[in-house]
Amino acid sequence: RSKEAGKDRWSFFTTDMKADSDAEARVEADLYRAVERDELFLVYQPQVNIRSGEVTGVEALLRWQHPLRGALSPAEFLPVVEKSRLAPVVGAIVLDKALAAARIWSDRGLDFGRVAVNLSPQHLKAGTFLADVLNAIDKHDVSPDRITVEVLESIFLNDASCRKIEVLEDLHRRGVHIELDDFGTGYASLSHLADLPIDGLKIDRSFTAQLLADSKAQVVVNSIIHLARALDIGIVCEGIETDAQVARLRMMGDFSVQGYLIARPAPFEIFSAWLERRTEARRSAAV
Ligand code: C2E
Ligand code: MG
Ligand code: MG
Ligand code: MG
């Protein structure tokens, strides 16, 4: 009897896994077509200084305009990208589009601070990331100091040869900012932080969400802010959704914030219009 139950569970499990891999295989096949047909696009979300309101950065976030399923977010296809051979291809597309956007904002005299792209671990591993960044810089004539690369803490693990860190050090020396994304959720050893080519920390939005309800989250956010100050690096606090969160954070320091309260990620034209209004408002406030 228990054997029967065990068998059932096993067959259920394998059917489920097969369905999973079938679905993934379909997404992967779709993705190759998506790249050919230019269905991948970026949406943009600003990062602003919490006190001055100055736009300090713009994060480029990947979307896929699927012909049948509509606009898909990274959670729906990025895991497949990372497992496939497409990661470096998609990474290069992101760099190309993000820097093309930065070029246009510069030409229009819009203050965007830096354009931030998310690094795919597989792109870095493939060994083409540095060349792809330099290519995009060249092609779009964007200064390296107008670019941020957001990396996950886990990048720095399992890198015995330190080759991945060398690439980031190289970019950092050229003026590209390197920021640790989702900071506080990974395993970054604090003692290593000072040795890494890091220009900023992004406080994970899970802390922001708990900021008003949980005093422990406040302690963590405060500690990260003090740590960044001691290391002389920047802070971006993610996932700002309410005025109360902004008010609380303002008491804690002077840094940048990003979240739905300021602006939701938006396609190029919509974001550019937001940036234009913002630039105008700041200019007229200055005179
Ligand atoms: P991330 O880099 O931490 O990006 C921030 C995510 O938080 C984005 O989700 C953004 O839309 C969302 N977000 C921003 N403000 C708020 C807020 O106030 N509340 C809430 N609840 N969420 C907010 P998205 O666009 O779905 O991206 C998810 C993740 O996918 C990103 O997390 C990043 O790790 C990855 N990703 C996105 N674009 C790319 C890309 O071009 N390349 C790679 N390798 N990864 C990417
Ligand atoms: Mg990010
Ligand atoms: Mg993040
Ligand atoms: Mg994230």
Side-chain angles (χ1 to χ4, degrees):
R1 172 137 182 78
S2 75
K3 200 181 164 194
E4 270 306 297
K7 190 181 162 222
D8 277 359
R9 213 172 321 140
W10 173 246
S11 57
F12 174 76
F13 184 55
T14 47
T15 309
D16 210 45
M17 291 213 321
K18 183 158 182 337
D20 254 26
S21 66
D22 279 357
E24 276 183 10
R26 216 173 311 127
V27 171
E28 188 178 340
D30 266 14
L31 267 164
Y32 278 93
R33 209 209 40 225
V35 167
E36 271 167 28
R37 298 191 187 171
D38 198 23
E39 291 168 4
L40 298 178
F41 69 104
L42 298 177
V43 289
Y44 301 90
Q45 188 181 35
Q47 304 164 344
V48 304
N49 180 278
I50 197 169
R51 296 197 177 159
S52 68
E54 177 196 0
V55 178
T56 55
V58 178
E59 182 170 8
L61 295 157
L62 189 59
R63 297 290 182 267
W64 174 9
Q65 190 61 49
H66 192 281
L68 303 173
R69 297 165 67 197
L72 304 180
S73 54
E76 296 169 274
F77 65 91
L78 209 59
V80 178
V81 172
E82 288 294 294
K83 273 199 242 168
S84 73
R85 295 199 202 144
L86 276 165
V89 177
V90 171
I93 291 172
V94 169
L95 284 165
D96 183 51
K97 290 185 187 294
L99 270 60
R103 175 77 262 146
I104 294 172
W105 297 325
S106 289
D107 289 345
R108 293 186 190 169
L110 301 175
D111 307 328
F112 66 93
R114 297 166 184 271
V115 66
V117 295
N118 291 282
L119 172 61
S120 144
Q122 290 305 320
H123 193 182
L124 191 57
K125 202 172 166 202
T128 52
F129 181 67
L130 180 61
D132 287 340
V133 174
L134 298 179
N135 256 335
I137 284 175
D138 218 46
K139 176 175 170 192
H140 299 292
D141 192 21
V142 172
S143 170
D145 65 10
R146 307 306 299 276
I147 303 165
T148 296
V149 175
E150 297 189 4
V151 306
L152 295 169
E153 300 165 55
S154 51
I155 282 287
F156 298 108
L157 297 173
N158 313 317
D159 186 25
S161 63
C162 293
R163 286 205 347 254
K164 294 188 230 160
I165 295 180
E166 273 169 21
V167 166
L168 297 176
E169 267 167 354
D170 188 333
L171 288 169
H172 171 80
R173 271 195 305 272
R174 295 170 192 261
V176 173
H177 263 217
I178 310 292
E179 288 182 1
L180 279 187
D181 208 344
D182 301 351
F183 188 74
T185 60
Y187 334 76
S189 124
L190 294 186
S191 64
H192 279 152
L193 262 189
D195 303 325
L196 295 172
I198 298 296
D199 301 282
L201 306 175
K202 294 194 77 179
I203 300 177
D204 191 70
R205 73 164 184 266
S206 58
F207 299 111
T208 315
Q210 292 300 314
L211 195 61
L212 299 171
D214 179 359
S215 61
K216 278 188 219 150
Q218 270 174 56
V219 171
V220 172
V221 170
N222 233 328
S223 305
I224 297 175
I225 291 167
H226 282 95
L227 176 68
R229 204 175 288 151
L231 294 171
D232 197 23
I233 59 181
I235 287 276
V236 179
C237 192
E238 294 187 312
I240 308 296
E241 295 182 354
T242 68
D243 287 315
Q245 288 167 343
V246 170
R248 174 57 56 89
L249 287 167
R250 253 190 213 122
M251 298 191 290
M252 297 168 83
D254 185 8
F255 46 86
S256 291
V257 291
Q258 175 180 357
Y260 294 166
L261 180 72
I262 294 108
R264 288 193 174 248
F268 178 77
E269 287 304 339
I270 293 172
F271 174 75
S272 298
W274 181 94
L275 197 56
E276 202 146 331
R277 286 196 302 277
R278 191 85 183 191
T279 306
E280 267 314 304
R282 286 180 57 78
R283 275 198 194 123
S284 44
V287 291

